[in-house]
Amino acid sequence: MIDIGQGDSILIEAPEANVLIDAGENGKGDEVLGYLKAHGISTLDIVIGTHAHSDHIGGLDDVIRGVGVKKVILPEMAEESVPTTKTYTSLLTAILEKGLKITTAKVGDTYNLGDGAALQIVGPNGVFTDLNNTSVVCRLTYGENSFLFTGDCEDKAETAILQRKGITVSADVLKVGHHGSDTSTSDPFLEAVGPEIALISVGTGNTYSHPVPSTLEKLEKRGIEIYRTDLSGSVVVASDGKKLTVTTEK
Ligand SMILES: [Zn+2]
């Protein structure tokens, strides 16, 4: 979980593939590119823009221009919700310029990341009008470990995922939805995920008051370890397929 202030940017370094989920606000693309460079990454096999809000896709245009990209996954949106913002059109322009196609996130689609690591799309289950609920939700599995990345998916979309037959959301690590807002991490969803570690991507002193105390209490009550980018900087959760090791920037 790369610290890019208020927003999300998550890098998955799998055995044979690199995946980037979001790239923070407009102007944060260079920071994300700097992080990739520092980790010796010049090609992203998959780039996921979870949903069309600027704190997630704002920096993606610069990232797509700055490194090799093989696949871009975006969510389906209700026609009336497709944004006309400069942020969104800039992303589409960068994708076109690179000669890439957009792959629409489809529940159940699974991407092989090498050595048994796999990334499965688990949401959105349905077409939503509220952009947060269009968030691509995906589950990474590697050996006995699993991670769930939720974008800004809110309780309505969480419920829809739980109703989907054949889809599992259980995970050791949960990237908490919508920066720890009270509109996400509903009790049934948290119960189904059952994480040991919660990741929250938030900017210091953000104007949204993320994360909210009720979400933090909910996680603490269950004995879940919480890592936040505003307090710890970038957070790395490493898996050897059996156990997880967390290191923080600060
Ligand atoms: Zn957000």
Side-chain angles (χ1 to χ4, degrees):
M1 177 169 64
I2 307 170
D3 177 19
I4 41 76
Q6 184 69 15
D8 271 14
S9 186
I10 293 145
L11 173 68
I12 300 169
E13 290 186 74
E16 289 166 21
N18 298 308
V19 180
L20 183 74
I21 304 172
D22 295 333
E25 269 290 351
N26 286 297
K28 293 290 182 182
D30 283 344
E31 284 179 35
V32 175
L33 285 169
Y35 191 94
L36 296 178
K37 200 175 170 196
H39 287 72
I41 294 170
S42 56
T43 301
L44 293 168
D45 298 273
I46 301 174
V47 168
I48 299 175
T50 59
H51 67 296
H53 279 151
S54 64
D55 59 323
H56 295 253
I57 61 159
L60 267 189
D61 52 349
D62 291 337
V63 170
I64 288 170
R65 288 193 179 98
V67 289
V69 174
K70 293 185 182 166
K71 184 183 272 297
V72 177
I73 299 176
L74 297 178
E76 186 175 2
M77 283 177 269
E79 210 174 305
E80 66 268 33
S81 311
V82 176
T84 52
T85 56
K86 190 164 179 293
T87 298
Y88 189 64
T89 50
S90 302
L91 171 61
L92 298 183
T93 305
I95 293 169
L96 275 176
E97 275 175 18
K98 277 270 199 153
L100 292 161
K101 280 188 297 199
I102 295 169
T103 301
T104 302
K106 204 167 141 264
V107 174
D109 278 0
T110 303
Y111 299 94
N112 175 9
L113 307 182
D115 192 29
L119 188 69
Q120 186 182 46
I121 307 294
V122 300
N125 180 26
V127 181
F128 294 88
T129 47
D130 179 277
L131 287 181
N132 283 343
N133 285 330
T134 68
S135 288
V136 178
V137 179
C138 54
R139 182 171 179 264
L140 169 69
T141 48
Y142 181 56
E144 293 165 19
N145 293 138
S146 48
F147 300 67
L148 190 73
F149 304 101
T150 54
D152 282 355
C153 167
E154 299 190 351
D155 47 11
K156 192 174 167 189
E158 290 175 350
T159 304
I161 292 171
L162 295 181
Q163 285 165 350
R164 181 75 172 226
K165 286 202 173 67
I167 287 297
T168 305
V169 293
S170 71
D172 305 312
V173 181
L174 170 66
K175 198 297 292 183
V176 174
H178 199 196
H179 321 285
S181 147
D182 60 1
T183 54
S184 302
T185 324
S186 58
D187 289 317
F189 191 73
L190 186 57
E191 195 64 43
V193 179
E196 290 165 24
I197 294 171
L199 304 177
I200 302 177
S201 189
V202 275
T204 309
N206 69 80
T207 52
Y208 309 96
S209 305
H210 292 158
V212 298
S214 60
T215 301
L216 293 174
E217 279 162 24
K218 210 182 261 194
L219 298 168
E220 280 160 4
K221 225 174 68 190
R222 288 176 157 83
I224 300 166
E225 272 177 58
I226 303 168
Y227 294 93
R228 306 164 45 161
T229 52
D230 58 340
L231 303 177
S232 299
S234 296
V235 179
V236 177
V237 185
S239 164
D240 62 5
K242 286 204 167 88
K243 65 176 199 315
L244 298 166
T245 315
V246 183
T247 46
T248 60
E249 186 185 5
K250 55 188 183 195

